[in-house]
Amino acid sequence: LFQTHMFLSMMSLLRASYLVSALAPTVALIPGIVSRSVFTGGYFPLKHSTVKSSKQRVQPMRMLGGLFDMLGGGEATLIEPSQALPGRKTKMGNISGSRHYVLGTDQEAVPEGHKVAVFANGCFWGSEKGIWRLPAGITSTAVGYCAGFTPNPTYEEACSGRTGHTEGVRVVYNPEEVSFVDILRWFWEAHDPCSGMGQGNDRGTQYRSGFYYFDDDQKRLIEASKDAYEKQLGRPITTEIAAASDYDQYGGLWYFAELYHQQYLAKPGARPYCSAQPQGVSLPDFDHWAPDDLKEKYKPTLPEAFWKAHAPRKGCSVVNSPNEPIKPGQW
């Protein structure tokens, strides 16, 4: 009764027409009357016809998300695979053959000799932009839904908390031009990896921090860097670290998000929003934490001067940075 009273009180403070438009896309996802998982910080596009209208993130949804978490007794918990939405066999439309809005490359292709990295560190808009701006070696980036249990989820479904996915970034990179540890360093420094199920005002399992490895070298580097960064921060890191193959039983680790989400911050009419919370703390020097047998193969390609000039700053400053990649030597 208390929760119902509080919910009705909050609803009365919002304009009915605005709230209804925000909630409309989620009606089909609400089990019973209200599920707390629906209000875990998700934000829902009002329309999907244009970039400007489809990507108005609704502030009341994020506000209600935080309030419902408090009323529900704490942080959101990951849904059980058996309780996840069923999903579908059909892949996301309009992704096949699409080109990166900034780099002009195929968003799906992994050229010979290239590798893939997949991570999650808050709202995927800003997470993706920070990586595509690295000065060399980034062939393509894409945003999507990773580490969940529902095949081919939609944005609304992922935001409901009922698919188990977190908003992620897929990076296709040339290891001859950029080291995996440079991508890894950007990941750590671009958010608060100690914040549990969320980043900033965006709360819910769909905003949890995670890095997912494709081979043993990636696993060892992720884990070693985590231990080093945890000591620097002085707080326990809650980042999820798991093998990409762990999700094969659910159809795979990665599903592309809708086309309007891809490189969103570079598109006309985009809202400069980012929920990530960079801590302004640098990852310790590579030689101090890297496994000895991996130091030569994975030594950083970006000099310390780059990080002094372009490392993530508090306040998620990447949203206001130029869209073009940083030019080599521009530091």
Side-chain angles (χ1 to χ4, degrees), residues 93-302:
N94 302 315
I95 295 298
S96 182
S98 63
R99 314 296 290 187
H100 194 284
Y101 191 81
V102 176
L103 304 178
T105 51
D106 188 308
Q107 293 198 111
E108 289 186 300
V110 180
E112 185 176 355
H114 285 55
K115 292 194 172 184
V116 173
V118 172
F119 63 83
N121 58 353
C123 171
F124 50 22
W125 292 346
S127 300
E128 182 191 20
K129 182 176 179 179
I131 291 294
W132 89 54
R133 296 195 69 242
L134 294 185
I138 304 300
T139 299
S140 70
T141 62
V143 297
Y145 314 114
C146 62
F149 316 119
T150 297
N152 298 295
T154 65
Y155 178 59
E156 290 85 356
E157 288 172 342
C159 281
S160 76
R162 297 183 62 201
T163 73
H165 292 93
T166 183
E167 290 192 6
V169 177
R170 175 182 181 261
V171 186
V172 178
Y173 66 99
N174 184 346
E176 297 296 321
E177 297 180 9
V178 64
S179 173
F180 176 74
V181 301
D182 291 312
I183 297 170
L184 186 55
R185 178 172 177 176
W186 187 275
F187 161 79
W188 288 124
E189 296 186 15
H191 77 306
D192 179 5
C194 308
S195 63
M197 295 296 183
Q199 281 289 306
N201 291 328
D202 287 344
R203 306 305 304 173
T205 58
Q206 69 270 31
Y207 304 113
R208 70 187 186 275
S209 172
F211 213 120
Y212 308 94
Y213 55 86
F214 291 88
D215 56 48
D216 191 59
D217 284 2
Q218 285 191 355
K219 177 179 185 288
R220 294 173 64 199
L221 290 165
I222 294 167
E223 291 177 342
S225 62
K226 169 189 173 286
D227 292 343
Y229 202 46
E230 191 170 69
K231 292 176 182 177
Q232 287 289 93
L233 293 171
R235 294 177 290 138
I237 284 178
T238 58
T239 298
E240 179 178 68
I241 299 173
S245 59
D246 288 350
Y247 299 91
D248 289 348
Q249 59 185 311
Y250 308 116
L253 169 71
W254 174 264
Y255 294 98
F256 285 91
E258 291 80 353
L259 188 61
Y260 61 79
H261 281 300
Q262 307 298 334
Q263 301 86 56
Y264 168 74
L265 289 176
K267 294 176 179 177
R271 177 187 171 191
Y273 176 81
C274 177
S275 66
Q277 301 291 305
Q279 298 298 289
V281 176
S282 298
L283 182 69
D285 185 76
F286 175 70
D287 287 333
H288 291 166
W289 59 263
D292 289 339
D293 60 322
L294 299 181
K295 285 183 177 179
E296 181 60 30
K297 183 178 181 180
Y298 291 98
K299 61 184 178 181
T301 55
L302 295 174

Side-chain angles (χ1 to χ4, degrees), residues 10-11 37 235 297 322 331:
M10 289 185 290
M11 293 273 280
S37 65
R235 294 177 290 138
K297 183 178 181 180
W331 46 78

